[in-house]
Amino acid sequence: MKIVTFAVALACMSALPTLSLADPSAFNKHCKKCHPVKAGKHLAGPSLAGIMGRAAGATDFKKYKVVKDSNIVWDEANIDAYITDPKKFAKDNGLPKPKIMITKVKSADERKAIIEHLKTLQ
């Protein structure tokens, strides 16, 4: 009986949807509304084209002037920390509390998928 139960549970788990690396669905869910992916085009937030390895505030987006002198570079660890808890990230990096509504991405799988997707944007 235990073997059958385990086999059924395993079959059900394998049927659950998973996010593949660089799948844009998590990005589209959490980021796309405010952040375009075309270089030089901005909405409520700056374009995220080419963000990996870029210094924070290094675009022509005017609203994020406070991060220009922060010495933050957008790498996997910083992006993960930022999208996990933007207010904590700001506090930990000596930045003022964000004045805009920023979504926390609670799911580690979604954060990983977002980061992998950001790596594809040039």
Side-chain angles (χ1 to χ4, degrees):
M1 180 68 175
K2 288 182 181 179
I3 294 174
V4 172
T5 303
F6 176 74
V8 170
L10 187 61
C12 289
M13 288 174 52
S14 65
L16 293 173
T18 58
L19 294 172
S20 64
L21 295 181
D23 179 346
S25 63
F27 176 87
N28 292 342
K29 176 182 173 184
H30 294 285
C31 313
K32 187 177 182 177
K33 185 175 183 178
C34 296
H35 294 280
V37 297
K38 184 177 178 185
K41 181 179 179 185
H42 309 296
L43 295 172
S47 168
L48 297 180
I51 191 171
M52 296 304 292
R54 184 172 71 205
T59 69
D60 61 352
F61 185 70
K62 306 290 186 232
K63 294 181 184 177
Y64 289 178
K65 294 176 189 172
V66 70
V67 298
K68 286 188 184 264
D69 298 323
S70 68
N71 296 320
I72 295 170
V73 173
W74 293 120
D75 57 16
E76 289 184 45
N78 280 331
I79 292 172
D80 185 63
Y82 182 77
I83 63 179
T84 298
D85 189 342
K87 290 179 183 177
K88 182 179 182 322
F89 180 85
K91 182 179 178 184
D92 291 349
N93 286 281
L95 300 172
K97 183 177 170 182
K99 295 179 182 178
I100 59 172
M101 186 183 95
I102 302 172
T103 303
K104 290 182 182 181
V105 181
K106 295 178 182 177
S107 165
D109 288 340
E110 285 187 320
R111 290 194 310 270
K112 180 68 175 167
I114 289 169
I115 292 166
E116 292 302 317
H117 181 65
L118 290 174
K119 289 178 182 180
T120 70
L121 304 177
Q122 296 302 321

